[in-house]
Amino acid sequence: MYDDSEVAVLRLGHRPGRDDRMTTHVGLTARALGADRVLFPDNAGQSLETVADITDRFGGPFDAELTDSPHGVIRNWEGRVVHLTMYGERVQDVEADIRDAHLSEGEPLLLVVGSEKVSFDVYEEADWNVGVTNQPHSEVAGLAVFLDRLFEGRELEQEWQKADRRVVPMETGKRVESADTESESE
């Protein structure tokens, strides 16, 4: 989004019925906070449809895809792999190295976000296992904090292309306008 090097988010695992909302929020957070695309397991088609719909309505660029081999994505990734886990190194201790690899060295980043228990091979294959906090927390929260630190807040100023509508910041109330500035109240 901000550089020539891609930032992709891989949702590792999806339990239908249990993880539907969380998996969707992984994709929405990835989109809103600067990633270029999200890859969902092939049983998360509903999450893909929701993220694609939001991208169509509120703009992009952003891609959402399904994969039948999330572990294969990790093994075959041509770049660096960051596994977000509460068991990893503290984000504040490794964020500069990750940012340098991405921005200065031009390395594409794959951010791996778990669901159910993550197998040990993911920890071994990752270039960094990163803990946003070493306390139990939501994978969506971990992804949001990590992306904000990676992009140093630049993602908050993003201009959305091909949007049908946009949210108008307000002190109180809710307002969504047509992208061609015709007003739509919600």
Side-chain angles (χ1 to χ4, degrees), residues 4-160:
D4 293 333
S5 299
E6 178 182 31
V7 175
V9 175
L10 172 67
R11 173 63 161 168
L12 188 62
H14 174 77
R15 298 164 290 190
R18 179 173 178 176
D19 289 339
D20 295 336
R21 188 172 176 89
M22 191 65 72
T23 297
T24 298
H25 285 196
V26 166
L28 294 175
T29 299
R31 177 192 164 275
L33 295 180
D36 298 294
R37 67 180 167 133
V38 65
L39 297 101
F40 294 125
D42 60 2
N43 65 342
Q46 185 175 351
S47 294
L48 176 126
E49 289 175 15
T50 300
V51 172
D53 177 61
I54 293 295
T55 302
D56 287 345
R57 290 190 288 144
F58 288 90
F62 188 77
D63 293 315
E65 304 168 18
L66 296 178
T67 178
D68 62 356
S69 179
H71 288 277
V73 171
I74 297 169
R75 279 190 303 276
N76 297 319
W77 184 256
E78 294 187 17
R80 302 286 183 94
V81 176
V82 178
H83 174 218
L84 299 176
T85 171
M86 69 183 208
Y87 302 107
E89 297 178 271
R90 298 175 344 143
V91 66
Q92 59 268 41
D93 295 338
V94 296
E95 68 181 289
D97 292 338
I98 296 169
R99 192 179 309 108
D100 187 55
H102 178 63
L103 296 175
S104 300
E105 299 171 28
E107 291 284 347
L109 292 180
L110 178 66
L111 311 182
V112 180
V113 179
S115 167
E116 52 207 316
K117 185 174 179 173
V118 174
S119 61
F120 192 70
D121 62 317
V122 174
Y123 289 87
E124 291 178 324
E125 291 172 1
D127 295 290
W128 293 278
N129 291 291
V130 178
V132 168
T133 176
N134 296 110
Q135 293 294 310
H137 65 285
S138 159
E139 55 269 34
V140 175
L143 176 62
V145 169
F146 181 82
L147 286 169
D148 186 62
R149 287 191 174 243
L150 177 67
F151 294 124
E152 299 178 296
R154 294 188 319 271
E155 76 283 0
L156 302 176
E157 301 297 330
Q158 178 177 350
E159 296 287 328
W160 297 98

